[in-house]
């Protein structure tokens, strides 16, 4: 495949279904961030973002956000 065709990796993710599975619509941003990170479009890894989230998010919201980052559709 050409370099041009490798620029974008397409990935479909039903954000609403992911949020229902996790149990909160408030984590849609983290669901989408996780999907973008898995596509290798950003110069960050899922592990780096997870570590940062663990340090910056209030303890009571960490598990919900961790699930959202790592859910795959």
């Amino acid at each position: 495949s050409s370099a041009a065709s490798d620029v974008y990796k397409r990935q479909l993710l039903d954000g609403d279904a992911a949020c229902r599975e996790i149990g909160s619509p408030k984590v849609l941003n983290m669901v989408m961030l996780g999907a973008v990170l898995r596509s290798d479009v950003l110069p960050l890894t899922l592990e780096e973002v997870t570590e940062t989230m663990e340090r910056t998010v209030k303890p009571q919201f960490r598990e919900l956000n961790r699930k959202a980052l790592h859910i795959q559709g």
Side-chain angles (χ1 to χ4, degrees):
S1 69
S2 71
S5 67
D6 291 336
V7 172
Y8 297 101
K9 294 181 183 179
R10 295 184 185 191
Q11 180 177 343
L12 296 178
L13 174 65
D14 184 339
D16 288 333
C19 287
R20 282 193 303 274
E21 183 177 329
I22 294 167
S24 175
K26 294 181 180 182
V27 294
L28 180 59
N29 60 334
M30 296 299 268
V31 168
M32 294 295 124
L33 178 57
V36 171
L37 291 168
R38 283 188 295 281
S39 74
D40 295 327
V41 173
L42 297 177
L44 300 167
T45 66
L46 189 56
E47 291 74 27
E48 289 170 327
V49 172
T50 300
E51 289 172 8
T52 300
M53 181 275 299
E54 297 283 349
R55 288 193 313 268
T56 58
V57 171
K58 292 181 180 180
Q60 64 266 34
F61 301 119
R62 288 181 191 153
E63 182 61 26
L64 203 60
N65 281 282
R66 190 179 311 108
K67 287 179 182 178
L69 275 173
H70 292 274
I71 195 166
Q72 297 185 33

